[in-house]
Amino acid sequence: DLIINGANAGSEKTNQSEDFDYVVVKASLPSTETVSVSDAGFATYATKYNVEVPNDENVKVMTVTVNEGNSTITLHEIPAKTVIPANTGILVKATAGNHDFVVTSDEGKKLENNSLIAATTDVTSDGATFFALTKMDTKVGFAVVKENFKIPAGKAYLKVPAATTAKFFS
């Protein structure tokens, strides 16, 4: 809420106006956030606001965990209607195109089993520990990102210890 203190600042009093002490302006949230899915059938996304997982059998939302040893990943589906907090990295599996997520003022809980990091600003890769979603031939997975490559704001990525020998998680 934005509160402005004033008393009819500089205006003349008329029969139609009332004196006021405060004006409250409420900022409205957008009604949806749109996730764009490529023809690969997957997209990473960094939520800007609290959003609700769609109740749509064609849209699956998941977290990703890098397993012990940093050699494999596991996907964990998030149930429909779950509220995902703002600035959370998620993986979306859906048909190619735009998919809307309802923005809510409800508080979400931090997602468990989630190694995805939300890129709230552009993130520059170190060339060894950052993995981004990509499609290689017919496989979709997370590949190591070249040094100095920027992961754009609004996407999610994995960061694993430099000790991993993995270059691609499928």
Side-chain angles (χ1 to χ4, degrees):
D1 293 348
L2 173 64
I3 300 175
I4 302 170
N5 188 3
N8 261 355
S11 67
E12 293 182 24
K13 190 171 184 175
T14 66
N15 292 339
Q16 297 171 339
S17 70
E18 297 287 327
D19 285 338
F20 61 87
D21 291 324
Y22 296 96
V23 173
V24 177
V25 178
K26 293 198 177 255
S28 62
L29 296 174
S31 58
T32 60
E33 282 191 22
T34 301
V35 177
S36 296
V37 176
S38 72
D39 63 357
F42 287 91
T44 61
Y45 191 70
T47 60
K48 294 177 194 143
Y49 304 99
N50 297 344
V51 296
E52 191 176 277
V53 174
N55 190 13
D56 180 344
E57 65 185 38
N58 298 312
V59 178
K60 303 295 180 201
V61 178
M62 294 167 272
T63 59
V64 179
T65 302
V66 178
N67 296 330
E68 196 173 321
N70 303 313
S71 59
T72 60
I73 60 173
T74 302
L75 307 180
H76 311 274
E77 189 170 343
I78 303 168
K81 301 292 188 179
T82 299
V83 175
I84 300 172
N87 302 315
T88 299
I90 57 173
L91 178 66
V92 178
K93 179 182 181 184
T95 55
N98 292 332
H99 300 277
D100 291 333
F101 285 59
V102 174
V103 172
T104 178
S105 59
D106 294 345
E107 289 292 320
K109 292 182 187 174
K110 181 178 178 185
L111 300 177
E112 295 182 16
N113 301 315
N114 196 15
S115 300
L116 286 168
I117 299 170
T120 56
T121 61
D122 290 350
V123 176
T124 303
S125 173
D126 63 5
T129 64
F130 291 74
F131 287 72
L133 187 67
T134 189
K135 183 176 180 182
M136 298 176 84
D137 298 321
T138 59
K139 292 185 179 184
V140 177
F142 289 85
V144 69
V145 179
K146 293 180 183 177
E147 187 174 4
N148 294 322
F149 183 85
K150 295 218 184 280
I151 298 168
K155 296 294 184 181
Y157 62 96
L158 297 171
K159 185 173 183 195
V160 298
T164 185
T165 58
K167 300 295 178 207
F168 186 77
F169 295 116
S170 178

